Amino acid sequence: MKELQEMWKQVLQKIEMMVSAVSFDLWISPLEVVDYNKFEKLILSANSAYAKKQLLKNHTEHLKSAIEEVFGEDTPFEILDPEEKDEFLKKNTIDSNQAVLGKDAEEQKNAFNPKYTFDNFVVGKSNQFVYAAARSVAENPGKRFNPLFIYGGVGLGKTHVLHAIGNYITGEHPELKIKYVTCEKFTNDYIDSLHGSNKEQGINKFREKYRNLDVLMIDDIQFITNKNETQEEFFHTFNDLYQNNKQIIIASDRPPKDIATLSDRLKSRFASGLIQDVQSPDFETRVAILRKKTQLEKYFIDDDVIQFIAEKIDTNIREMEGLLSKVYFFATLLGKKSASIEEAKEAFKEDLDEKREDLSAENIIDATCKYFAVSKSDLTGKKRSKEFVEPRMIAIYLIIEILELPLVAIGKLFGGRDHTTIIHARDKITEQVKEGGKIKTFVSAIKEILNREN
Ligand code: ADP
Ligand code: MG
């Protein structure tokens, strides 16, 4: 490992001479070497998904040439984001678990994401019951709520809760054997056990691994295949653990009754415990989650930016966190401690633009009227004085930009004007927005009204 570190240091030194100091500090120097495995592939990790994206976009060539100089020609490398890194480490830990029996307990400890704890989980109306159930199970595994079945949409904290249970139990009861797997991993493990040279030995090992446990957690059970054999094995694993008062915890994106591939007898087994859903967080909870995350990651983020993110994204928490790290890095790029609300909006332009499909031409016309305090009939009518012409052209421009409606349809909305008039309005405003004067300000202000009110 010493040598590897030394080599990586050389790579860094080379890149430092190729890129700007800001880019180096921001993107290159936080890279970590995760692995240099037997296929001689260098696995690196970036400190956020956004950082990874930036690295791939702007620094692939720099990395490639510096790595090749130090590690040899055609050395492949890969950059992982934090989530992928967790996956990678987990996978490798589990693989070596199989190889080195006896090291189980110690390595299982590392299988849980240390950030996914109960302490870091913000409790609100949407998730209080899941939190309470998870806590109770963590404190008394196998005694209450068995099995515990948690379901809810993407990015609402199910995996976080499973890891929190895992972290809690490994901390409080290190003697307990606890295992977390995704449904996919369980299935693959089972299939692998059948394909070894000695099938019986394979199956026995599999059973030893999955039945000799105090707590078994299976994530994303909705991916269970209707291949009979795997479900059969899962059913027996379940029964075996259950009869011995061992805790079983399952997470899914939908309730058991809606998992088409799940056999009826498993559905009824799950129904014998507690089935608890986690809902989308309300605005206050979303703000609290973002504040918590800001604290944990040591980001500096203005509160109005936090509120803005919480307003814009109302379900997927992972998506909110993505914007948070994005705005943090954006500010760093600008050489600032934290970004202003305007800068945040600039940083999110790509992310938020696509979210406006819900708008109608009516909304845009209303917002424009409101901003300029003109009546709708004046805005869309024939009057040619400047106080109406300019707002009219801006409304047309916005409808084209945001909704991409056909020109003829837009003409109809404005008293049957023909498409050349519409094109003229679009081009004129486009040009003025580029110039960046007061028209640009008007356009942004109206967009803001649209964002706020729709
Ligand atoms: P799921 O498994 O439901 O798709 P995750 O557990 O992966 O969702 O959660 C997505 C992200 O949101 C994680 O980073 C997680 O820490 C965070 N998160 C979700 N709910 C909460 C919460 N109540 N408090 C703090 N962070 C949360
Ligand atoms: Mg999950």
Side-chain angles (χ1 to χ4, degrees):
M1 197 64 191
K2 187 83 197 281
E3 202 187 342
L4 184 57
Q5 264 172 20
E6 209 40 58
M7 289 167 87
W8 180 243
K9 230 163 108 185
Q10 288 174 26
V11 171
L12 289 181
Q13 282 163 359
K14 290 191 186 302
I15 301 179
E16 196 167 9
M17 293 189 289
M18 305 175 192
V19 304
S20 73
V22 175
S23 293
F24 185 79
D25 287 347
L26 204 53
W27 312 119
I28 307 289
S29 114
L31 276 170
E32 278 174 23
V33 179
V34 178
D35 193 32
Y36 183 53
N37 58 29
K38 51 181 181 281
F39 306 109
E40 310 212 308
K41 182 176 185 181
L42 190 61
I43 310 282
L44 306 170
S45 73
N47 55 7
S48 72
Y50 184 63
K52 171 180 166 172
K53 211 165 119 191
Q54 291 299 319
L55 282 159
L56 292 177
K57 197 166 125 202
N58 303 320
H59 300 297
T60 305
E61 282 308 310
H62 302 136
L63 282 161
K64 186 173 180 321
S65 74
I67 288 170
E68 290 195 349
E69 267 187 70
V70 177
F71 284 82
E73 221 165 288
D74 292 329
T75 302
F77 69 93
E78 189 180 343
I79 302 174
L80 309 176
D81 65 30
E83 208 169 302
E84 292 163 341
K85 179 186 162 192
D86 283 351
E87 274 302 303
F88 179 91
L89 291 177
K90 224 184 290 164
K91 207 166 125 213
N92 286 346
T93 317
I94 288 162
D95 289 348
S96 52
N97 254 345
Q98 286 169 333
V100 196
L101 280 166
K103 277 184 75 185
D104 269 21
E106 199 188 329
E107 291 192 323
Q108 274 160 15
K109 254 187 209 161
N110 301 330
F112 299 110
N113 185 331
K115 287 187 183 163
Y116 289 176
T117 60
F118 284 124
D119 281 347
N120 291 345
F121 191 78
V122 175
V123 184
K125 272 197 206 104
S126 56
N127 57 27
Q128 57 183 335
F129 297 113
V130 157
Y131 177 84
R135 217 71 227 180
S136 156
V137 159
E139 282 160 14
N140 300 292
K143 304 242 164 52
R144 298 183 69 189
F145 306 141
N146 202 16
L148 171 61
F149 189 102
I150 298 172
Y151 76 91
V154 180
L156 295 185
K158 303 180 297 291
T159 298
H160 185 135
V161 164
L162 296 187
H163 281 246
I165 297 173
N167 280 318
Y168 184 93
I169 296 179
T170 38
E172 297 292 313
H173 304 284
E175 73 285 0
L176 293 183
K177 289 207 184 91
I178 172 164
K179 189 168 190 62
Y180 164 95
V181 278
T182 60
C183 182
E184 197 193 351
K185 169 79 182 147
F186 180 90
T187 306
N188 290 341
D189 261 10
Y190 179 64
I191 293 170
D192 287 350
S193 78
L194 297 177
H195 292 329
S197 51
N198 186 336
K199 188 169 157 179
E200 201 180 303
Q201 202 183 13
I203 284 283
N204 286 339
K205 250 177 122 174
F206 175 88
R207 290 186 180 152
E208 197 182 317
K209 193 162 131 190
Y210 280 97
R211 297 191 189 182
N212 188 18
L213 291 171
D214 298 295
V215 181
L216 174 63
M217 301 195 261
I218 302 197
D219 203 350
D220 290 324
I221 196 88
Q222 74 271 12
F223 294 125
I224 194 153
T225 55
N226 45 15
K227 281 198 199 94
N228 277 335
E229 266 185 290
T230 311
Q231 287 221 19
E232 181 83 15
E233 187 60 33
F234 179 57
F235 184 71
H236 293 303
T237 306
F238 183 99
N239 285 341
D240 197 72
L241 291 169
Y242 185 77
Q243 277 153 15
N244 290 301
N245 294 321
K246 306 301 187 187
Q247 180 70 48
I248 300 150
I249 308 159
I250 293 155
S252 162
D253 70 351
R254 65 202 92 152
K257 67 174 171 43
D258 295 339
I259 307 175
T261 47
L262 193 67
S263 72
D264 286 340
R265 56 183 192 173
L266 272 171
K267 281 180 193 167
S268 82
R269 282 290 186 282
F270 293 162
S272 70
L274 177 67
I275 299 180
Q276 181 59 59
D277 68 328
V278 49
Q279 292 166 359
S280 299
D282 56 21
F283 178 73
E284 280 71 30
T285 312
R286 296 201 296 278
V287 169
I289 291 173
L290 287 169
R291 287 198 184 127
K292 185 98 199 172
K293 180 87 182 170
T294 305
Q295 237 176 37
L296 282 175
E297 300 291 333
K298 302 194 170 60
Y299 292 159
F300 298 100
I301 314 263
D302 288 350
D303 215 54
D304 52 350
V305 173
I306 286 183
Q307 306 238 0
F308 178 73
I309 296 175
E311 264 164 32
K312 286 293 148 195
I313 312 271
D314 56 8
T315 49
N316 191 335
I317 297 167
R318 195 175 300 118
E319 228 176 285
M320 287 201 314
E321 292 180 346
L323 291 188
L324 203 63
S325 62
K326 189 165 189 174
V327 71
Y328 173 71
F329 285 117
F330 192 78
T332 323
L333 260 185
L334 298 174
K336 293 178 145 194
K337 198 167 151 197
S338 69
S340 67
I341 185 84
E342 285 73 29
E343 287 156 353
K345 285 175 188 167
E346 179 67 27
F348 300 154
K349 228 160 75 191
E350 269 173 46
D351 307 86
L352 300 179
D353 267 359
E354 18 173 87
K355 300 220 165 287
R356 304 312 301 167
E357 290 147 359
D358 53 325
L359 282 182
S360 67
E362 201 74 3
N363 296 141
I364 294 172
I365 289 172
D366 287 347
T368 311
C369 289
K370 185 168 178 178
Y371 184 71
F372 290 107
V374 299
S375 74
K376 204 162 153 179
S377 58
D378 285 339
L379 188 89
T380 57
K382 300 278 179 210
K383 290 184 187 160
R384 304 212 37 86
S385 64
K386 189 163 181 230
E387 57 173 317
F388 304 125
V389 171
E390 211 168 59
R392 190 178 296 141
M393 292 205 297
I394 289 175
I396 291 170
Y397 164 85
L398 283 169
I399 291 173
I400 296 173
E401 196 204 301
I402 300 174
L403 302 180
E404 294 173 23
L405 288 189
L407 301 174
V408 178
I410 301 174
K412 279 201 188 117
L413 291 169
F414 290 82
R417 287 183 161 81
D418 75 14
H419 73 281
T420 50
T421 318
I422 304 299
I423 291 176
H424 171 72
R426 178 196 65 191
D427 291 349
K428 182 128 196 234
I429 302 297
T430 306
E431 199 184 296
Q432 287 176 320
V433 167
K434 266 197 205 129
E435 280 166 19
K438 69 174 201 287
I439 298 287
K440 185 179 177 198
T441 316
F442 294 160
V443 165
S444 316
I446 296 167
K447 280 187 183 168
E448 209 174 310
I449 295 179
L450 285 166
N451 283 337
R452 205 169 51 225
E453 296 187 354
N454 295 280

